[in-house]
Amino acid sequence: MKKTYFAVFAAIGAISAPTIAADCSALTKWQSGQVYTGGMEVQHDAFKYTAKWWTLNQDPALNSDPSNVWRNDGRCEPIGTPLPIISLNAPLAQSRHILSSPVAFSATASHPSNVPIQHVEFKVDGVVIATDTTAPYETTWFAAGLGEHLVEAEVVDEAGGRATTGMRTISVVVDDILVPPTGFKVVGYFPSWQGQVADIQFDKLTHINYSFLLPNADGSLQPLENLTKMQQLVTAAQAAGVKVGIAVGGWNGGDDSAFETFASSPQGRATFIRNLMAFVEQYQLDGVDMDWEYPDPGASANNYALLMKELSVELKAKGKFLTAAVVALGYTGGGVLESVFNDVDFLNLMAYDANNGDHANYQYAVDSIAYWQGRGLSKEKTVLGVPFYSRPTWQAYRTLVAQDAANACRDTDGTSYYNGIPTIRAKTQLALDTAGGIMNWELSHDTSGPASLLTAKWEVVQGLTPSYQCDGSGGPTEPTCASLQIDPSQYVAYPTLPNGDHAAAGQRVSHQQAVYKANWWTRAKPGSDQSWQLVCKF
């Protein structure tokens, strides 16, 4: 994170497996007893795999999801042989289904070389529940087994080529009461030098880190900038049930010499921890976010590990949290030893600032999660960071939206590169699927109202219908019933539902000057979760 005034990913369905076959003619078969390092390629069970980092005895077929050590590069076929393409249209990721209710599955399958499709298999938790040989490819599953389930679809063509949608998570529940994911964190950084406490959407956050408290080389602390503002934040946040931590360090112009000095000796670490604990208790903070940017591999890494272990002991004794902001991936990631994973409540992955242009694309987020979890960080302790600012212009997202409302639905205005609403939603879904939370730098860069990025994140976390619609081509849209020639009076008005106590997939209702269509069997209030889709407003 820096004290500075600072390609759209379509989150529609899951992306199919590689569609171009891999050339495996020069590859050797994977051997369980052989060590492989990053970049080494093998073939295994008719697929090509590339190692992302050091590995031994990890079966590529079982360890090739985005967070694991192997990358699946496609099926071994003659060069240029295309595979079929498939996307899963329903059910939606993170959708919730009442026990014993019908769950509609549907997929779209095609082939770039017009090879006939033989069939599509629908799977729940790896078990085939149905096979469909003709388009439209669909089936119905009656929700069974409370809790989360993994669903996917796989296509097979008549030449034997296969492709999968990849797995997504759905839940089976006993009723339609909305429950957020247990333990999922929504973290925001709030700087001392800009932004107003009154503008923070506390109801959409679990943690806020006030930035930054700076140390001196002897372990003492510099006076905190805008202390009164932090005290206002603590009072307001804690009243709303949001935890507040103090972020220590930050980019600070690249000067981490104070950390290097005091962390190198037991006396220096003890002095720093004593002063920091006094600060935390004096101002009734809930914890500490360590933001040393960055300890390098070697002596600094060892000193950082000692500091985090010793600080963790003191904070946990007081019931306080300890987190850390860490680089997305790369060399300085090695400055955080694996032992630190045991000492923190979670790590905030700064998956941005990759370059001076497209600095925070979706793939960078995927790679960051894969890097840290590949080293042993648990899903629950992985918190994905997203930017609320642009590069190279360093403009805040709120400034970009003020210049052009359509910028909310884009990742670039041609000059600035950032994360618009579709990408923020996609990354939040990624965090729900593969991590334990999502973080942003920083809250004052957000805009208010429906185009808020924090709102977009929270709606995904809660499974709510998006309050800001993007039309898929870089602009917002909110269709009117008149423009679609839809007469709202032909539909029952909520709280009445078409079937008495529920609506079935495809049925429509009117509610609060809008028409909604049920995506599947539901008793939920229209617009309250992903079981409903907005059709138009009137």
Side-chain angles (χ1 to χ4, degrees):
M1 305 187 191
K2 299 177 172 60
K3 179 174 177 178
T4 183
Y5 301 96
F6 312 148
V8 176
F9 175 82
I12 302 175
I15 295 179
S16 65
T19 57
I20 301 302
D23 178 15
C24 301
S25 59
L27 301 181
T28 59
K29 292 185 178 181
W30 173 76
Q31 302 292 328
S32 62
Q34 179 176 335
V35 170
Y36 297 92
T37 57
M40 295 181 69
E41 299 174 339
V42 299
Q43 61 169 304
H44 180 59
D45 291 345
F47 282 87
K48 176 185 176 183
Y49 295 92
T50 300
K52 300 178 186 176
W53 50 80
W54 188 97
T55 177
L56 171 67
N57 196 28
Q58 290 179 287
D59 188 322
L62 302 177
N63 295 276
S64 59
D65 59 80
S67 65
N68 245 313
V69 62
W70 290 100
R71 183 182 72 237
N72 186 331
D73 292 327
R75 191 175 185 86
C76 293
E77 299 285 354
I79 297 175
T81 301
L83 293 176
I85 301 170
I86 185 169
S87 61
L88 186 61
N89 305 320
L92 299 176
Q94 299 299 321
S95 57
R96 304 168 72 252
H97 307 271
I98 297 173
L99 186 66
S100 299
S101 68
V103 181
F105 280 67
S106 68
T108 302
S110 61
H111 200 289
S113 296
N114 296 319
V115 175
I117 300 298
Q118 185 181 91
H119 65 262
V120 169
E121 297 174 350
F122 294 99
K123 300 179 182 181
V124 176
D125 297 327
V127 177
V128 177
I129 61 166
T131 300
D132 196 350
T133 59
T134 57
Y137 302 101
E138 54 192 17
T139 190
T140 299
W141 175 67
F142 287 87
L146 293 175
E148 292 187 342
H149 298 274
L150 296 174
V151 300
E152 62 180 319
E154 185 171 356
V155 60
V156 180
D157 64 34
E158 290 195 353
R162 288 177 173 265
T164 177
T165 60
M167 292 182 287
R168 65 176 59 162
T169 302
I170 66 170
S171 297
V172 175
V173 298
V174 294
D175 55 39
D176 58 359
I177 298 174
L178 190 63
V179 179
T182 303
F184 192 82
K185 280 79 67 177
V186 182
V187 184
Y189 283 81
F190 189 60
S192 62
W193 59 90
Q194 61 187 12
Q196 302 296 318
V197 172
D199 294 334
I200 298 175
Q201 302 177 72
F202 292 106
D203 60 331
K204 299 179 176 68
L205 294 157
T206 61
H207 296 72
I208 299 176
N209 291 321
Y210 190 74
S211 310
F212 291 104
L213 181 64
L214 297 176
N216 294 311
D218 61 358
S220 61
L221 303 175
Q222 297 180 25
L224 180 69
E225 182 180 29
N226 214 335
L227 176 61
T228 300
K229 180 179 173 181
M230 187 195 75
Q231 292 173 300
Q232 294 172 347
L233 173 66
V234 171
T235 299
Q238 292 178 346
V242 178
K243 294 183 177 181
V244 179
I246 184 66
V248 183
W251 179 239
N252 196 35
D255 181 7
D256 65 347
S257 58
F259 285 104
E260 294 281 5
T261 302
F262 76 70
S264 65
S265 71
Q267 298 82 2
R269 293 193 300 271
T271 299
F272 171 75
I273 292 171
R274 182 173 61 253
N275 289 325
L276 184 57
M277 290 301 300
F279 183 93
V280 167
E281 294 196 66
Q282 178 180 357
Y283 296 109
Q284 301 179 323
L285 292 160
D286 297 297
V288 170
D289 181 71
M290 187 60 65
D291 197 359
W292 176 350
E293 299 187 21
Y294 303 98
D296 292 316
S300 291
N302 294 329
N303 293 336
Y304 177 81
L306 289 170
L307 174 64
M308 294 297 282
K309 185 175 186 62
E310 294 163 7
L311 180 57
S312 176
V313 170
E314 296 298 322
L315 285 167
K316 288 178 180 178
K318 299 292 185 180
K320 309 290 186 180
F321 71 75
L322 174 61
T323 61
V326 296
V327 68
L329 46 81
Y331 172 77
T332 49
V336 180
L337 301 180
E338 286 80 359
S339 64
V340 174
F341 301 169
N342 298 319
D343 300 322
V344 297
D345 290 87
F346 53 88
L347 293 182
N348 293 306
L349 315 186
M350 295 188 286
Y352 36 78
D353 292 338
N355 50 52
N356 203 37
D358 185 15
H359 70 106
N361 60 41
Y362 181 86
Q363 187 60 46
Y364 194 55
V366 172
D367 293 344
S368 179
I369 292 173
Y371 169 78
W372 287 101
Q373 292 184 351
R375 291 181 54 195
L377 184 66
S378 69
K379 173 182 177 181
E380 293 72 23
K381 291 189 177 184
T382 305
V383 175
L384 173 65
V386 298
F388 280 11
Y389 64 94
S390 66
R391 292 189 67 167
T393 61
W394 301 106
Q395 289 181 293
Y397 169 76
R398 56 178 165 77
T399 302
L400 294 165
V401 173
Q403 292 170 353
D404 184 351
N407 283 338
C409 294
R410 304 167 177 160
D411 280 356
T412 180
D413 64 354
T415 303
S416 301
Y417 293 85
Y418 54 98
N419 285 175
I421 287 176
T423 297
I424 289 294
R425 286 178 181 152
K427 287 186 177 182
T428 305
Q429 187 63 59
L430 173 67
L432 279 171
D433 291 340
T434 64
I438 191 159
M439 170 272 285
N440 78 275
W441 178 264
E442 45 87 351
L443 291 170
S444 76
H445 286 151
D446 198 12
T447 191
S448 58
S452 160
L453 295 181
L454 182 59
T455 296
K457 289 197 297 185
W458 188 244
E459 288 172 343
V460 174
V461 171
Q462 296 286 0
L464 300 174
T465 299
S467 58
Y468 196 89
Q469 303 285 343
C470 291
D471 64 10
S473 62
T477 181
E478 205 166 73
T480 64
C481 296
S483 67
L484 298 178
Q485 297 183 327
I486 292 175
D487 178 10
S489 66
Q490 66 182 300
Y491 306 114
V492 298
Y494 184 82
T496 301
L497 291 171
N499 302 304
D501 67 339
H502 73 278
Q507 292 182 325
R508 298 183 177 189
V509 299
S510 64
H511 179 57
Q512 293 184 337
Q513 302 297 306
V515 173
Y516 291 88
K517 180 177 73 174
N519 289 319
W520 51 80
W521 191 100
T522 180
R523 292 194 312 221
K525 181 171 69 174
S528 66
D529 65 19
Q530 289 183 333
S531 66
W532 291 100
Q533 175 184 339
L534 175 69
V535 176
C536 61
K537 292 196 172 185
F538 59 89

